Amino acid sequence: MVSIKENSNLKSLIEDFIEKNVLDAGSKILEESDLDKINSYASVIVKAFGAEKLDSKLESETKLISSFNSNLTLLIQKTWVESSDADIKDQILYQLEQFCSLAKTGEWDKSYSLFLQIIFAAVYLMFGNQSKKADFLEYAFRVDPEFGIFWWYIQLLPQKTDWSAEKCRVLVLLGMYFLANY
């Protein structure tokens, strides 16, 4: 995959769709360990997803997990796939059930990598091999700018991390927010 820094056309396209303060928050949130600063950067990013703020109260969090589960389940079930990809649908639905169980019990550090696996697999179901190409982010922006912003965010996140459960929680909630409301 070609990095954004190496592709000036992609970098320019991203800057056309994402405000500088959001781009800055995206890079800073990955490096930050202070929870207050992480939440501050998350507040900037979630606005790019169309929300005023990321509500992290337990009641709101439980509702978000439920909405995320419902929307993603519906999306996966309604996506037409080749018969060779039918097993992927079943796998995602199973992983989604596992993820929601971990999220509901607050095991965010354990659910983080699973969340990303689910997202990448679901996007593969929707877009096929195009989702694995180097220019998919550009494609995502052109097809649906809101989805492009979400995919930019997902691409920022490392597959594996040793972050605290609270940092994982905030970063996963950001991604969940977009899909719960898409």
Side-chain angles (χ1 to χ4, degrees):
M1 177 180 252
V2 177
S3 78
I4 293 170
K5 291 178 181 177
E6 295 170 10
N7 186 334
S8 61
N9 291 337
L10 180 57
K11 185 176 182 204
S12 176
L13 180 69
I14 290 170
E15 290 170 351
D16 286 345
F17 286 101
I18 304 175
E19 295 177 13
K20 183 177 180 348
N21 66 328
V22 177
L23 292 171
D24 290 345
S27 63
K28 290 176 182 176
I29 200 169
L30 299 178
E31 300 165 1
E32 190 57 60
S33 59
D34 179 85
L35 194 55
D36 288 335
K37 289 181 181 178
I38 291 168
N39 284 319
S40 175
Y41 297 136
S43 294
V44 172
I45 295 168
V46 81
K47 286 180 183 175
F49 294 162
E52 285 302 310
K53 65 178 185 168
L54 185 63
D55 193 350
S56 60
K57 294 177 187 155
L58 185 57
E59 180 183 312
S60 300
E61 196 172 288
T62 302
K63 194 174 186 180
L64 179 62
I65 293 167
S66 178
S67 293
F68 172 76
N69 185 24
S70 296
N71 285 2
L72 199 55
T73 297
L74 183 61
L75 179 68
I76 292 163
Q77 289 174 340
K78 298 294 180 185
T79 300
W80 181 88
V81 296
E82 297 286 340
S83 59
S84 61
D85 289 334
D87 289 343
I88 295 174
K89 284 175 105 169
D90 294 335
Q91 177 186 355
I92 295 171
L93 292 171
Y94 174 74
Q95 288 176 322
L96 183 58
E97 189 177 308
Q98 288 181 311
F99 167 79
C100 289
S101 292
L102 290 169
K104 286 176 184 175
T105 59
E107 298 179 76
W108 294 103
D109 48 340
K110 293 179 183 175
S111 68
Y112 174 87
S113 291
L114 185 57
F115 172 75
L116 290 176
Q117 290 172 26
I118 292 166
I119 299 304
F120 279 97
V123 169
Y124 170 78
L125 281 183
M126 293 187 302
F127 295 97
N129 286 329
Q130 177 68 35
S131 68
K132 296 183 179 188
K133 292 184 179 179
D135 66 347
F136 183 68
L137 180 57
E138 180 179 351
Y139 176 81
F141 274 117
R142 296 193 190 283
V143 169
D144 181 350
E146 288 180 355
F147 178 73
I149 294 169
F150 167 74
W151 195 246
W152 160 82
Y153 172 73
I154 293 297
Q155 293 290 297
L156 287 178
L157 302 176
Q159 292 291 315
K160 296 185 189 238
T161 183
D162 60 354
W163 292 332
S164 71
E166 276 302 304
K167 181 172 182 172
C168 290
R169 177 183 153 275
V170 171
L171 295 174
V172 170
L173 287 174
L174 273 170
M176 286 176 56
Y177 177 82
F178 178 81
L179 288 175
N181 295 290
Y182 190 61

